[in-house]
Amino acid sequence: MRVNLTVNGRPQTADDVWEGESLLYVLRERLGLPGSKNACEQGECGSCTVRLDGVPVCACLVAAGQAEGREVVTVEGLADFARRRAEGGCAGGSRDPGDCSGAAADAACASETPSGAASGGATAAGVGLDQARAWRPKPADPAELAPIQKAFIDAGAVQCGFCTPGLLVAADELLERNAEPSDADIREALSGNLCRCTGYEKILDAVRLAAARAERAV
């Protein structure tokens, strides 16, 4: 079957998708986005956490067909997602339909289509698989990281890095809906993300740091 979805603001199309194929497989193996890690494949570790229409989900538990017509944000698109959210534009995947509705918002969304998609010949039918596989994120530039990514680096919360993508996506969603989370809020929000390296203190520090920086920026 064919699956059409929007991933990190880019329309994508995957053909010949098996009925039992997971969204995680489509992201990693078909669309060339390995940021969401394939670990337990049982929804236990949270390493594959992405946002599906704004809601954090374990991509390994979502059938690819369930993503038809929906918006997905992975760790690769987190910085752009955060930037558009900060600018008050249509970040996509919002839980609040009011954040992106109406002709004006549609126009804003269209104007925010990544240049790579536009220049790569993307059409309403989506981006071809060859184009999708050829896509690479921009070289790492600290200035282009999302605030939560910067906080993880500054707090030393990036340990082996395997669980980090899922933690980043979950933490970013937490701070989007709760700008001043308590420690209990943070622990609850990240309870589905397991770290196999060591403790969680630096991870908690990173979320607190990101929240504090956002508060100072207001």
Side-chain angles (χ1 to χ4, degrees), residues 141-203:
D141 180 348
E144 296 182 357
L145 295 176
I148 189 64
Q149 291 173 308
K150 294 177 184 176
F152 263 63
I153 293 173
D154 294 342
V158 180
Q159 297 163 133
C160 86
F162 199 82
C163 68
T164 304
L167 283 163
L168 288 169
V169 173
D172 183 72
E173 189 274 342
L174 165 65
L175 295 176
E176 179 179 291
R177 59 182 165 81
N178 184 354
E180 299 179 359
S182 65
D183 281 2
D185 294 331
I186 299 172
R187 291 178 185 278
E188 180 179 359
L190 303 185
S191 61
N193 297 79
L194 303 182
C195 169
R196 298 167 177 80
C197 292
T198 178
Y200 293 83
E201 283 308 316
K202 290 185 178 180
I203 295 169

Side-chain angles (χ1 to χ4, degrees), residues 23-24 58 60 66 104 106 108 121 134-135 149 152 159 169 185 206 215:
L23 174 60
L24 177 62
C58 289
C60 70
Q66 291 179 288
D106 290 344
W135 181 84
Q149 291 173 308
F152 263 63
Q159 297 163 133
V169 173
D185 294 331
E215 184 179 13

Side-chain angles (χ1 to χ4, degrees), residues 28-120:
R28 288 179 56 87
E29 306 301 333
R30 293 180 177 274
L31 303 183
L33 297 170
S36 306
K37 295 298 183 284
N38 185 2
C40 72
E41 293 189 282
Q42 297 179 7
E44 297 287 342
C45 72
S47 297
C48 63
T49 301
V50 300
R51 293 182 70 167
L52 182 63
D53 285 348
V55 180
V57 298
C58 289
C60 70
L61 296 183
V62 177
Q66 291 179 288
E68 171 66 28
R70 302 175 73 177
E71 296 191 351
V72 177
V73 176
T74 72
V75 70
E76 288 94 342
L78 199 58
D80 183 60
F81 183 82
R83 177 185 60 77
R84 286 187 284 156
R85 180 175 58 207
E87 292 174 352
C90 174
S94 171
R95 286 179 172 182
D96 183 1
D99 288 350
C100 182
S101 60
D106 290 344
C109 291
S111 69
E112 291 170 358
T113 300
S115 58
S119 60

